[in-house]
Amino acid sequence: MATTEESSSPEGKEHRGSADPDGKYPMKVLYCGVCTLPTEYCEYMPEPAKCRQWLEKNFPNEFARMTLGKDNVPRQEPKAGDAPFVGEEEEKKKQKRGGRGQIKQKKKTVPQKVTIAKIPRAKKKYVTRVCGLATFDIELKEAQRFFAQKFSCGASVTAEDEIIIQGDFTDDIIDVIQEKWPEVDDDSIDDLGEVKK
């Protein structure tokens, strides 16, 4: 059988741990209608502005009490001779919540040129290198598959803007590129001839 003990606290109940001794129990907690958390945690949600609008619309007294509690706390400025508090110095060094985000890199303005070169491999074997298709916004994987199918050989994307085709196709490839991608005109294709790797 369970027994109950009476405590010596004025309310007749003893609260242990981090309970508020001045609070009235059972406590009434106001939950946000947007994020469904207690209203004091709304500021940590992804969209605290929506929570504030909801609270201001439905519970203006609670909203006023919460906003006044933050703004009415006077902050003591250090005097000319005083050293700053240890916490303040660290607070200034730390990055604020949200951070800088991701920095977008500017696109490099590369001239729109397609270069074709024949590179010797072993004895009388060659590979054809095509560079610059990405400057015309051509998908390199798609171009690699097209070249491999068209010339019945192996082709691979090796660098950021480079396709290697197994075999010597420098004569045919200019016509094939213009036929498949009409935005690449004859003036923007350079044949470098035979170059060493």
Side-chain angles (χ1 to χ4, degrees):
M1 209 168 150
T3 60
T4 59
E5 290 183 31
E6 289 189 26
S7 64
S8 60
S9 67
E11 290 101 58
K13 295 182 182 177
E14 184 176 332
H15 300 286
R16 295 186 181 171
S18 63
D20 185 14
D22 298 330
K24 296 180 183 177
Y25 291 93
M27 292 186 80
K28 292 183 181 178
V29 178
L30 177 63
Y31 290 94
C32 177
V34 177
C35 65
T36 67
L37 290 176
T39 54
E40 50 270 359
Y41 294 107
C42 288
E43 64 183 289
Y44 302 110
M45 294 307 293
E47 297 174 341
K50 287 184 178 180
C51 296
R52 272 189 243 112
Q53 287 174 353
W54 179 86
L55 187 63
E56 186 176 17
K57 180 182 172 189
N58 295 316
F59 297 97
N61 294 337
E62 185 70 22
F63 177 77
R65 187 177 64 82
M66 288 181 75
T67 54
L68 283 177
K70 291 179 183 174
D71 296 339
N72 277 349
V73 177
R75 188 163 184 206
Q76 295 177 352
E77 295 295 323
K79 296 177 185 171
D82 293 345
F85 296 113
V86 177
E88 280 185 34
E89 192 174 302
E90 288 180 16
E91 186 179 323
K92 287 180 184 178
K93 288 181 184 177
K94 286 185 181 179
Q95 188 175 8
K96 296 294 180 190
R97 186 169 180 252
R100 291 177 60 188
Q102 292 184 358
I103 300 170
K104 293 181 181 177
Q105 293 181 352
K106 295 179 183 176
K107 288 187 177 179
K108 297 176 184 175
T109 54
V110 179
Q112 291 188 329
K113 279 275 189 203
V114 176
T115 57
I116 299 167
K118 181 170 77 169
I119 302 171
R121 228 177 67 195
K123 296 188 181 182
K124 294 182 180 181
K125 295 185 178 183
Y126 295 95
V127 293
T128 306
R129 181 181 68 192
V130 180
C131 295
L133 287 175
T135 59
F136 289 95
D137 294 328
I138 296 171
E139 185 67 39
L140 292 179
K141 280 288 188 184
E142 180 185 322
Q144 172 252 325
R145 281 190 226 106
F146 173 73
F147 291 140
Q149 186 177 13
K150 181 75 174 175
F151 299 120
S152 299
C153 63
S156 62
V157 178
T158 56
E160 186 178 310
D161 190 12
E162 179 181 80
I163 298 175
I164 299 290
I165 305 166
Q166 293 177 3
D168 179 14
F169 299 106
T170 52
D171 300 332
D172 303 331
I173 204 157
I174 296 171
D175 298 329
V176 169
I177 288 174
Q178 289 176 338
E179 182 183 309
K180 174 74 175 172
W181 298 285
E183 64 265 17
V184 182
D185 58 339
D186 193 34
D187 297 333
S188 60
I189 298 176
D190 285 341
D191 187 3
L192 303 176
E194 186 175 327
V195 294
K196 292 193 175 181
K197 211 173 193 180

